Amino acid sequence: MDNNKDIAIIGGGPGGYLAALRAAQLGRKVVLFEEDRIGGTCMNYGCIPTKYLLHQTKILKEVRETKTVTGGEGVGLDWTAVQKGRQAVVDRLVRGIEFLLEKSGAEIVKGRARLEDAGRIVVETADGPETRTAGAVILATGSRAASLPFLAPNGAEVVTSTEALAFAEVPKSLLVIGAGAIGLEMGSIYRRLGTDVTVLEILPGITPGSDKETAARLERALKKQGLKLLTEMSISGAEIAPGKVTLKGTSLKTKAPFEYSAARVLLAAGRRPNSEDLAADGLLTLGRGGFVAVNERLETGTPGVYAIGDLIGGKLLAHKAFHDAIVAVENACGMNRTVDYRALPMAVFTDPEFASVGLTQEEAETKGVKVRSGVFLLQASGRALTMDSLDGLVKVLADGSDRIVGAHIVAPGASEMIHELALAVSREATLGEIGGLIHIHPTLSETIGEAALKAKNEALHILN
Ligand SMILES: Cc1cc2nc3c(=O)[nH]c(=O)nc-3n(C[C@H](O)[C@H](O)[C@H](O)COP(=O)(O)OP(=O)(O)OC[C@H]3O[C@@H](n4cnc5c(N)ncnc54)[C@H](O)[C@@H]3O)c2cc1C
């Protein structure tokens, strides 16, 4: 065994495993340390299992709600089979990445690793501690659900998304703390299964930080599905009894106290980086919330040590971790790369989906960028009408030179539609270029072209 490698990576999630694959592709000798399962949060406990459960429950919802389907009310899901299916999909993907890593020549070491010095790592393996060295180190240890000062997960009444993905039985009632992507996706899954779901958010809107007009449209659509979405709710205490949790607090809107009880409560109010005890004193600088501080080349303050993905904060997204991984590895290999998040898209996989890229209207105003917006409501889309899915919109924002600087979508398949606009933002395409693109008819993507034209008062399928 070669104990000295070119690049050592701590953490085998999307950031870490992609860094290993890219480094091997560039001909470097690589070692990857992982204490749990390859694939990290995203593959094992995040992106993939949530999307499996969202897909399964969406089928149920559609069968039940499509007016022309007869007998739809009586259908149900075999929850045990769904849970087995979820794990089978996860396991298959994990095996796929392990296969790619093996073929790349990267060495995988199972165990908890710690950076003892620049280029020196100690890993606690099943056979005891091992010391490894490398020319460069990439830290990719990710994040975990944050607790509240008065509420920590107990594996029963109080859970994180990891346990909520694998509930043995569908709970009768569920309180969700936080109306971000994780809270809304988990809330949607259980609402579709009949759970009484209440989401409590301290900020004034759902999907905090998103374009307000677009988020309000999503909020309306989700409320129609029976999700109780309560904003400006400040929770200050909790009482836990077997099978029952009560959350207490004050409404910031009305100043009135509130109290909500349910069988379970899901903590989905932010995530904390896995930065504690990751490195010996003085090697890393931790910023707000414990995220590792890096420069735009993703270098920490210690030469040859990089940090990527959830560990460094910003948008906690798997594809952001992928982008970081490429930048860090290429810099470790002598290239000169910097991160560019201007066209980093995001999505919430509710029904309809929410997707976004670039500036929101509010961010543009704060930055002093004068924008004009074009909004196309799905009500005017032929394709949306055939799908009985009229709740949604496409909003395109352009600067004074007509260059597209942001876009926000609420629509079925918004997570797929947004890429055209991500390309537009990254290539600084104009309203005319996107409006003039020939879109397939009838599709939901046509509404992107119309929204771009609308911003120029040249829309053809709605009034200007
Ligand atoms: C419920 C849920 C749904 C999500 N859905 C989406 C989605 O749809 N799309 C999206 O883009 N993002 C989604 N995310 C976010 C996404 O999972 C993360 O952004 C992504 O996993 C971050 O990748 P990472 O490599 O930085 O960290 P992680 O995936 O967290 O991986 C870090 C790895 O490091 C390992 N590790 C930690 N410390 C050590 C150590 N000291 N030694 C060895 N190993 C260590 C961990 O075991 C873990 O495997 C979701 C997250 C959750 C929780």
Side-chain angles (χ1 to χ4, degrees):
M1 184 171 43
D2 177 5
N3 272 357
N4 181 41
K5 301 278 187 201
D6 297 317
I7 299 185
I9 300 158
I10 305 184
Y17 82 68
L18 202 84
L21 292 174
R22 179 68 181 137
Q25 201 173 58
L26 291 170
R28 299 306 194 271
K29 286 188 292 171
V30 181
V31 59
L32 174 66
F33 304 104
E34 171 55 58
E35 65 172 338
D36 183 13
R37 281 168 60 100
I38 291 294
T41 305
C42 176
M43 210 170 267
N44 293 288
Y45 319 109
C47 326
I48 298 300
T50 47
K51 268 70 251 173
Y52 182 83
L53 296 185
L54 281 161
H55 179 71
Q56 293 286 316
T57 54
K58 187 168 177 229
I59 295 170
L60 180 68
K61 177 175 174 282
E62 289 191 344
V63 169
R64 281 189 176 158
E65 291 175 3
T66 303
K67 294 177 199 94
T68 48
V69 171
T70 55
E73 319 78 46
V75 298
L77 275 185
D78 176 345
W79 187 240
T80 310
V82 169
Q83 285 294 330
K84 273 195 192 146
R86 171 186 60 77
Q87 198 54 48
V89 165
V90 167
D91 290 347
R92 182 175 166 163
L93 279 170
V94 170
R95 279 198 304 273
I97 298 300
E98 283 172 343
F99 170 80
L100 288 176
L101 286 167
E102 191 190 316
K103 291 289 165 200
S104 77
E107 183 191 355
I108 300 176
V109 177
K110 281 297 181 99
R112 187 171 180 81
R114 185 172 191 267
L115 187 68
E116 295 297 338
D117 206 343
R120 190 164 62 85
I121 295 136
V122 172
V123 55
E124 298 296 332
T125 70
D127 301 326
E130 266 182 38
T131 299
R132 298 301 197 93
T133 55
V137 178
I138 298 178
L139 305 173
T141 52
S143 67
R144 61 186 187 281
S147 301
L148 294 177
F150 49 85
L151 198 62
N154 65 2
E157 292 81 13
V158 187
V159 297
T160 70
S161 53
T162 302
E163 294 85 46
L165 286 166
F167 280 153
E169 280 166 23
V170 174
K172 284 208 160 45
S173 51
L174 177 69
L175 290 171
V176 178
I177 304 180
I182 295 175
L184 295 178
E185 289 182 10
M186 297 300 313
S188 292
I189 289 167
Y190 284 103
R191 180 65 211 133
R192 293 170 193 174
L193 292 165
T195 304
D196 181 2
V197 179
T198 305
V199 182
L200 302 172
E201 168 60 56
I202 191 167
L203 291 171
I206 66 167
T207 63
S210 302
D211 184 82
K212 269 193 191 153
E213 181 181 11
T214 319
R217 182 64 56 160
L218 177 69
E219 187 169 337
R220 212 176 75 171
L222 295 181
K223 279 182 172 166
K224 277 195 209 162
Q225 296 164 24
L227 265 182
K228 294 174 193 148
L229 300 176
L230 306 174
T231 52
E232 296 187 70
M233 303 295 271
S234 171
I235 307 165
S236 52
E239 272 170 22
I240 304 164
K244 184 178 172 191
V245 197
T246 304
L247 297 180
K248 297 176 179 187
T250 312
S251 159
L252 301 177
K253 251 181 269 184
T254 63
K255 310 284 176 249
F258 67 75
E259 205 173 295
Y260 287 95
S261 297
R264 309 249 196 180
V265 60
L266 167 66
L267 287 165
R271 295 185 61 84
R272 282 181 58 80
N274 294 323
S275 56
E276 301 96 344
D277 202 32
L278 174 57
D281 283 353
L283 292 179
L284 300 176
T285 305
L286 303 187
R288 222 174 120 227
F291 293 100
V292 172
V294 287
N295 63 17
E296 57 179 8
R297 286 170 46 85
L298 301 181
E299 294 161 323
T300 64
T302 300
V305 178
Y306 300 79
I308 64 173
D310 281 11
L311 181 64
I312 61 169
K315 297 227 161 112
L316 306 187
L317 295 167
H319 42 284
K320 186 262 199 187
F322 287 153
H323 174 70
D324 289 352
I326 302 293
V327 170
V329 166
E330 294 188 355
N331 284 332
C333 292
M335 299 180 212
N336 187 16
R337 293 282 315 269
T338 54
V339 285
D340 181 0
Y341 301 133
R342 274 173 311 163
L344 176 72
M346 61 76 74
V348 184
F349 293 76
T350 44
D351 184 25
E353 292 180 353
F354 172 79
S356 170
V357 67
L359 296 182
T360 64
Q361 183 132 16
E362 295 72 35
E363 280 168 347
E365 276 158 21
T366 312
K367 288 186 169 187
V369 181
K370 263 207 156 163
V371 285
R372 46 180 173 155
S373 86
V375 174
F376 190 94
L377 298 181
L378 286 203
Q379 282 150 5
S381 153
R383 182 68 177 130
L385 193 59
T386 64
M387 295 166 74
D388 194 16
S389 211
L390 299 179
D391 250 330
L393 60 74
V394 173
K395 176 172 178 178
V396 175
L397 297 169
D399 66 11
S401 320
D402 271 5
R403 296 195 189 289
I404 296 175
V405 292
H408 312 278
I409 303 178
V410 172
S415 60
E416 304 287 349
M417 291 165 70
I418 198 70
H419 294 102
E420 173 181 345
L421 288 156
L423 189 66
V425 172
S426 78
R427 298 286 161 236
E428 300 184 351
T430 62
L431 292 170
E433 283 164 336
I434 293 299
L437 191 75
I438 303 174
H439 291 89
I440 293 175
H441 177 75
T443 58
L444 294 176
S445 295
E446 279 176 300
T447 61
I448 294 175
E450 283 282 340
L453 292 175
K454 171 76 178 160
K456 289 159 67 74
N457 285 324
E458 290 176 10
L460 291 162
H461 288 85
I462 46 172
L463 296 177
N464 288 295

